[in-house]
Amino acid sequence: MRSSVDYFRRYGLTLAAGFAMLCLATQAAAQTNWPSKPVRIVVPFAPGGTTDILARAVAPELSKVFGQSFIVDNRAGAGGNLGADIVAKSAPDGYTLLMGTVGTHGINKSLYSRMPYDPQKDFAPVTLVAGVPNVMVMNTEKAKALGINTVPDFIKYAKAHPGQLNMASSGNGTSIHLAGELFKTMTGTFMTHIPYTGSGPAMLGMISGTVDVMFDNLPSSMAQIKGGKLKAFAVTSSQRSAAMPDLPTIEEAAKLKGFEASSWFGLLAPAGTPPEVVLRLQQETAKALSLPSIKEKLLAQGAIPSGNTPQEFAALIDAEIKKWAPVVKASGARVD
């Protein structure tokens, strides 16, 4: 009896070991053949926005390189949380990716009382696709009437007239709102926040003069700036924008060391995705972003292409979560 038990135990262990080796071999083969079917890039916002534009810029290039379709799938809702959660809970096989943002992976963790995913533990960062500066703008006629021509002029006026200026945003807790809150904190000024239901309605308020200032995404304000309806003071990024090189950064214009409140967008995969798949995606995305046709298109829209390493992108996410937590707290913004 004992010998039979030992036999079956040894036989069972042999089978288990063989099965484990077979699984590893199968997994390795699958990774080598990746991608063998279409890849989905989930955009957690509606079509037409910057997140969608960037996803649709890189998807065709990745399709060419890998010989499989990279399909953009818009899943809007809950400030990007709905689409991000879909990817977080997808199989880590390289066939479902996310075009994440500063909202989904930097701000929302502090903004939402209940998060369906962990922006750090549930994802494998692939690469930062692009950074998009926000731009500080006022209605041109109102700025002229108040004698505000520069960022220091604005700060001086705001301090002399506390609470008399208001600040538009695309909604509570958005990067546009929090860029303004960071400005208020670092300059010691106060403006009444007027949240709109999106950038479009907020822009109408700016053009009509209903609201005074906005820290809008540069691409959505550029036409109104060039048309003379909005006066641009500075961009909120750490570097000047190639789309408007004569416009200073807020750090330059107001001597606010360390001021940086850009929006950013990057590819992420579910946690556990094979490192070799993540690396291939990063390398080919970086190559696509360096193509003159893609690079020039993005720069013209005010986006700054990146293509950094997974490790660099992960470090950015960690830093952004820490950076925005106190800003969200100070703003009082909270979504239940």
Side-chain angles (χ1 to χ4, degrees):
M1 176 67 70
R2 189 171 185 178
S3 60
S4 298
V5 171
D6 290 341
Y7 171 79
F8 284 115
R9 182 180 295 155
R10 288 196 299 271
Y11 182 66
L13 289 173
T14 301
L15 283 178
F19 182 72
M21 291 178 66
L22 178 62
C23 288
L24 288 173
T26 302
Q27 184 179 22
Q31 292 167 12
T32 302
N33 296 329
W34 179 92
S36 59
K37 61 182 181 179
V39 177
R40 177 173 61 150
I41 301 178
V42 174
V43 170
F45 296 99
T50 305
T51 318
D52 185 67
I53 291 171
L54 291 173
R56 295 181 189 279
V58 300
E61 300 304 322
L62 295 178
S63 297
K64 292 177 188 176
V65 171
F66 289 111
Q68 291 288 345
S69 297
F70 277 67
I71 303 166
V72 176
D73 182 10
N74 296 88
R75 296 297 186 95
N81 282 355
L82 191 153
D85 189 45
I86 289 173
V87 177
K89 292 178 172 57
S90 294
D93 53 12
Y95 291 98
T96 305
L97 307 174
L98 174 73
M99 184 61 79
T101 71
V102 64
T104 61
H105 283 74
I107 295 172
N108 287 1
K109 186 173 183 177
S110 299
L111 178 65
Y112 285 78
S113 58
R114 291 185 297 274
M115 285 285 285
Y117 61 89
D118 187 303
Q120 293 159 297
K121 295 179 181 178
D122 293 341
F123 292 87
V126 176
T127 187
L128 177 68
V129 173
V132 175
N134 290 0
V135 59
M136 183 181 180
V137 292
M138 280 190 74
N139 176 287
T140 300
E141 293 301 319
K142 179 168 285 191
K144 184 178 180 180
L146 298 178
I148 299 175
N149 296 302
T150 64
V151 178
D153 287 344
F154 183 92
I155 296 172
K156 182 179 179 180
Y157 186 91
K159 287 185 174 181
H161 304 83
Q164 292 186 26
L165 294 175
N166 52 42
M167 177 183 76
S169 83
S170 54
N172 280 316
T174 60
S175 64
I176 294 171
H177 170 205
L178 295 181
E181 294 295 341
L182 183 62
F183 181 85
K184 288 162 61 175
T185 299
M186 293 184 70
T187 59
T189 56
F190 175 75
M191 296 166 276
T192 302
H193 176 221
I194 309 295
Y196 284 80
T197 56
S199 292
M203 185 55 62
L204 291 176
M206 288 293 299
I207 294 172
S208 67
T210 303
V211 283
D212 301 313
V213 66
M214 186 176 179
F215 294 79
D216 193 26
N217 293 144
L218 181 55
S220 59
S221 277
M222 194 176 295
Q224 302 301 336
I225 294 169
K226 291 183 175 180
K229 293 183 179 180
L230 293 181
K231 180 174 180 59
F233 296 123
V235 291
T236 65
S237 52
S238 60
Q239 300 177 8
R240 294 193 181 200
S241 170
M244 302 191 78
D246 294 331
L247 202 61
T249 67
I250 286 181
E251 182 177 31
E252 289 178 308
K255 304 297 187 293
L256 293 178
K257 185 175 177 58
F259 187 98
E260 204 280 325
S262 298
S263 296
W264 51 259
F265 309 83
L267 283 175
L268 302 105
T273 299
E276 54 268 41
V277 172
V278 171
L279 183 59
R280 288 184 67 195
L281 276 166
Q282 182 271 323
Q283 291 173 338
E284 296 303 335
T285 302
K287 289 178 184 178
L289 292 171
S290 68
L291 293 173
S293 57
I294 300 297
K295 189 173 183 178
E296 291 169 10
K297 179 181 178 181
L298 296 184
L299 288 173
Q301 295 176 337
I304 304 170
S306 178
N308 64 4
T309 68
Q311 295 76 17
E312 290 169 336
F313 189 25
L316 172 67
I317 291 171
D318 292 345
E320 288 287 280
I321 289 173
K322 293 174 184 175
K323 170 184 174 178
W324 289 112
V327 179
V328 171
K329 185 176 181 179
S331 72
R334 194 71 173 166
V335 180
D336 295 321

